Amino acid sequence: MTNEQQNADQFEAFLLGEVSLVGDDARFARQLIELSQQTHPAELFIAELGTQLMAESQGVSSQPNHNHNHNNNHNHHHTYLRRGLGAAAALTLVMFGFLITPAGRGLAQAAWDFFTRSESDEGVITVFVPPENPGSAAAAPTPQPPVDTLDEVRPVVYAQDGATIPAAFEPTNTSERPDYAVYLPKAVPQGYQVDRVEFHMLNPMTVVEYVCGSNTAFFLTQLAIGVQAYLDDPAYRREVGASADVVEVDVMGVIGQYVRGDWVPVEPVNEEDIPEGGTLDVETVWNNDADYHHLSWYADGMLFRIYTSHVSTVEEPECELGMADFVAFANQLTPIE
Amino acid sequence: MNQVFAGQPPEHLAELADDVLARQAAAYREAFAALYHRHIRSVYRYILARSGHVPDAQDITAATFTAAFKGIETYRGGDKFLAWLLGIARGQIAMHYRRKKNTLSLDAVEHIAHPAAPPESIVEERLRIEAVAEALKTLNPDRAEAVALRLFAGLETNEIALAMGRSEGAVRVLVHRGVQDLRKQLGRKSDHD
């Protein structure tokens, strides 16, 4: 070991309080540490930023790779994540304001809008490029090959304390949340397989990803939420363009809504211009032909959503699904007893 | 619910580990609030040490937590959450000054070109964060980053090694050398004077 390394190790031991050092370097280091300890953000700043983040969180809901800030401004604002972050990122939904209360089908039929229509077809997307996460490759779960049925899937299950439960999927074994029943399909669309399941016990929510080919997927999510909580929080409603065609459909005995279309950047996004952890605002326009589908409905105290990945099926036409396919899929969902 | 971020997070959340909170934060905003209150001071100290300017540090801190909130689902665990936050902060700092450089006045450019005051004028002065930040800008970038992460953000050596892609031994050398360089840059008394 070199003298320089020895000195550096000794200096680190000093910083850790394991040894004492004298001299100007040590004295200066103490001054730096003292300065650091005296450097605080103002409490008012902490509170104001906290309030600002809270306000933004109320205006955000999420689709895979596409988070939306909901407001009624002409120039609405969206966020989506760089493609290719993987299924885990795509699966996680940002949802807020969970208040579990009983809910009835009749009320859902009468009052529910699942989309917010923007005042125009123009908007802004904020592209976010997450920083590299060193070591994440080692920590990431081993990918599983797609399978035909849920019985063969080993899901990610989050317990109430947030810990991951390494257990096979047991849809009836939600003993921590007896108010929550998992709905599963009797069959999946031809060409599709189950790729991943997440179950969150804290705010009961199931997310199932179905994949087809190499690049096509859709997601089924099922969130337990009370009627009032849903109505009070616009974050649960996806913002669509002024020209979007919102179609009412019959699903599980209630009225759901279906929209095809997406916010598309006016100019191609050059992600190389964005540093890791940075963001870039991009102008977008609503496109009714974009290959993004979203079906929502509320039944049995659950908000159900089916939505596709933001990847066109042009290159995989055998994977293409439309409104009728998604409605048919939704209508054969059955609670697991 | 509306006071979650402004106030303190629920006690039971404050006791949970970062990884647990981060997994829940995508679906449960109180969990993100707990992470926010736990780490804002370290993040702010790091950013202020790199910027030396309180209003800039506040703007960048806000941008960092906003970006972290939007991208929380990309956090995979396995690393310290604070190191992940500081990775975002680094990107936000770079972007902030990239956007700002076109609007800097000539005086400001001059100030950046000659960040440290003449050593004799600050010897024996009380150490100021602004001066430290300006001096850090003149150091070898790796040494400056290691010092900021170790002494201001409070990361451990192994965490800095992971964040910077260096060995722990190399990080210890960077911190030691960085402190020495910083002291000289600030005109502080030398061990060998």
Side-chain angles (χ1 to χ4, degrees):
Chain A
M1 184 181 290
T2 64
N3 281 342
E4 182 175 38
Q5 187 69 63
Q6 284 179 330
N7 290 338
D9 291 349
Q10 190 178 35
F11 191 70
E12 171 65 15
F14 160 72
L15 293 177
L16 292 171
E18 295 170 354
V19 299
S20 58
L21 285 182
V22 295
D24 289 337
D25 284 345
R27 191 160 41 247
F28 179 63
R30 285 193 202 95
Q31 289 178 320
L32 286 176
I33 293 169
E34 188 178 323
L35 174 66
S36 174
Q37 290 170 344
Q38 292 170 350
T39 303
H40 299 297
E43 291 302 317
L44 181 61
F45 167 72
I46 294 175
E48 287 181 349
L49 175 56
T51 302
Q52 177 188 327
L53 286 168
M54 182 277 301
E56 291 184 12
S57 77
Q58 286 186 318
V60 174
S61 68
S62 171
Q63 310 303 324
N65 293 347
H66 196 147
N67 299 340
H68 296 252
N69 287 335
H70 293 268
N71 58 50
N72 293 322
N73 296 336
H74 171 79
N75 205 20
H76 63 266
H77 207 255
H78 301 259
T79 298
Y80 77 120
L81 303 178
R82 181 166 59 180
R83 302 268 166 82
L85 294 180
L91 275 170
T92 306
L93 299 179
V94 181
M95 293 181 171
F96 303 93
F98 299 95
L99 296 172
I100 309 303
T101 57
R105 290 189 175 198
L107 182 56
Q109 289 183 41
W112 288 54
D113 283 323
F114 299 97
F115 299 92
T116 301
R117 195 181 294 279
S118 176
E119 293 180 2
S120 81
D121 279 347
E122 297 173 355
V124 174
I125 281 177
T126 300
V127 180
F128 170 69
V129 179
E132 289 295 329
N133 203 2
S136 60
T142 304
Q144 305 169 54
V147 296
D148 291 329
T149 70
L150 284 175
D151 295 339
E152 301 172 53
V153 175
R154 184 170 291 275
V156 177
V157 180
Y158 295 111
Q160 297 230 43
D161 63 357
T164 302
I165 301 173
F169 188 49
E170 295 291 346
T172 57
N173 185 21
T174 56
S175 55
E176 288 191 63
R177 302 306 303 236
D179 53 337
Y180 187 86
V182 176
Y183 283 67
L184 294 176
K186 294 174 182 172
V188 298
Q190 189 168 6
Y192 279 80
Q193 295 176 301
V194 180
D195 185 59
R196 183 180 169 87
V197 177
E198 283 186 9
F199 178 64
H200 299 256
M201 288 187 180
L202 182 63
N203 303 297
M205 179 172 72
T206 307
V207 184
V208 185
E209 179 182 11
Y210 298 89
V211 299
C212 175
S214 59
N215 209 22
T216 305
F218 75 87
F219 303 84
L220 165 67
T221 71
Q222 175 193 336
L223 170 72
I225 181 175
V227 172
Q228 200 57 50
Y230 177 87
L231 295 177
D232 287 347
D233 194 341
Y236 292 111
R237 294 178 278 284
R238 180 179 186 237
E239 188 173 29
V240 296
S243 67
D245 184 17
V246 180
V247 181
E248 292 196 342
V249 293
D250 292 328
V251 185
M252 287 172 55
V254 299
I255 299 173
Q257 290 181 328
Y258 166 88
V259 168
R260 173 179 178 164
D262 203 357
W263 297 98
V264 179
V266 175
E267 301 285 344
V269 179
N270 186 359
E271 292 166 354
E272 301 303 319
D273 294 340
I274 312 169
E276 289 175 3
T279 57
L280 177 68
D281 289 345
V282 177
E283 291 184 8
T284 61
V285 63
W286 176 262
N287 184 337
N288 280 315
D289 295 323
D291 204 4
Y292 181 77
H293 307 255
H294 189 131
L295 170 65
S296 289
W297 71 99
Y298 185 89
D300 295 337
M302 308 278 187
L303 175 64
F304 291 88
R305 285 169 160 169
I306 294 174
Y307 45 83
T308 57
S309 55
H310 291 267
V311 176
S312 172
T313 57
V314 170
E315 295 179 1
E316 294 179 321
E318 71 278 11
C319 300
E320 185 174 0
L321 298 174
M323 182 179 75
D325 301 303
F326 292 119
V327 171
F329 176 82
N331 272 321
Q332 42 97 43
L333 291 174
T334 307
I336 302 302
E337 302 294 339
Chain B
M1 290 291 281
N2 288 353
Q3 298 303 314
V4 166
F5 277 114
Q8 292 298 309
E11 285 184 12
H12 73 282
L13 288 177
E15 295 171 359
L16 295 176
D18 281 359
D19 269 11
V20 174
L21 290 171
R23 279 199 299 272
Q24 296 291 345
Y28 190 45
R29 63 180 165 188
E30 286 91 340
F32 189 83
L35 291 167
Y36 168 76
H37 282 285
R38 184 175 296 174
H39 294 300
I40 184 173
R41 288 166 183 80
S42 293
V43 170
Y44 176 84
R45 273 200 292 266
Y46 166 77
I47 293 172
L48 185 57
R50 300 316 312 263
S51 70
H53 189 240
V54 169
D56 282 356
Q58 291 183 342
D59 288 348
I60 297 167
T61 301
T64 296
F65 277 97
T66 300
F69 179 68
K70 290 175 179 175
I72 186 67
E73 60 264 44
T74 69
Y75 176 68
R76 297 286 194 279
D79 311 314
K80 193 170 182 179
F81 183 74
L82 177 57
W84 183 78
L85 272 179
L86 294 171
I88 295 176
R90 275 196 295 278
Q92 294 294 336
I93 291 169
M95 186 182 315
H96 182 87
Y97 286 106
R98 188 184 307 159
R99 284 173 176 163
K100 201 171 181 181
K101 69 180 180 183
N102 293 333
T103 60
L104 284 176
S105 68
L106 193 59
D107 288 346
V109 174
E110 183 78 6
H111 181 63
I112 288 175
H114 305 283
E120 62 272 18
S121 69
I122 54 175
V123 170
E124 304 305 330
E125 262 187 24
R126 180 173 167 272
L127 207 52
R128 294 168 50 245
I129 189 70
E130 295 86 353
V132 170
E134 293 303 319
L136 279 173
K137 292 173 185 172
T138 69
L139 266 52
N140 168 288
D142 283 349
R143 293 180 187 177
E145 182 71 1
V147 169
L149 290 172
R150 183 72 183 87
L151 297 181
F152 287 91
L155 288 188
E156 303 290 344
T157 299
N158 61 329
E159 295 159 352
I160 299 172
L162 198 62
M164 296 182 67
R166 308 290 286 267
S167 71
E168 291 185 37
V171 169
R172 283 194 284 270
V173 171
L174 287 172
V175 170
H176 189 211
R177 286 282 201 87
V179 168
Q180 289 177 321
D181 292 350
L182 190 60
R183 179 176 57 73
K184 291 171 185 169
Q185 185 66 24
L186 287 168
R188 297 281 150 166
K189 189 178 175 184
S190 165
D191 284 340
H192 308 295
D193 288 346

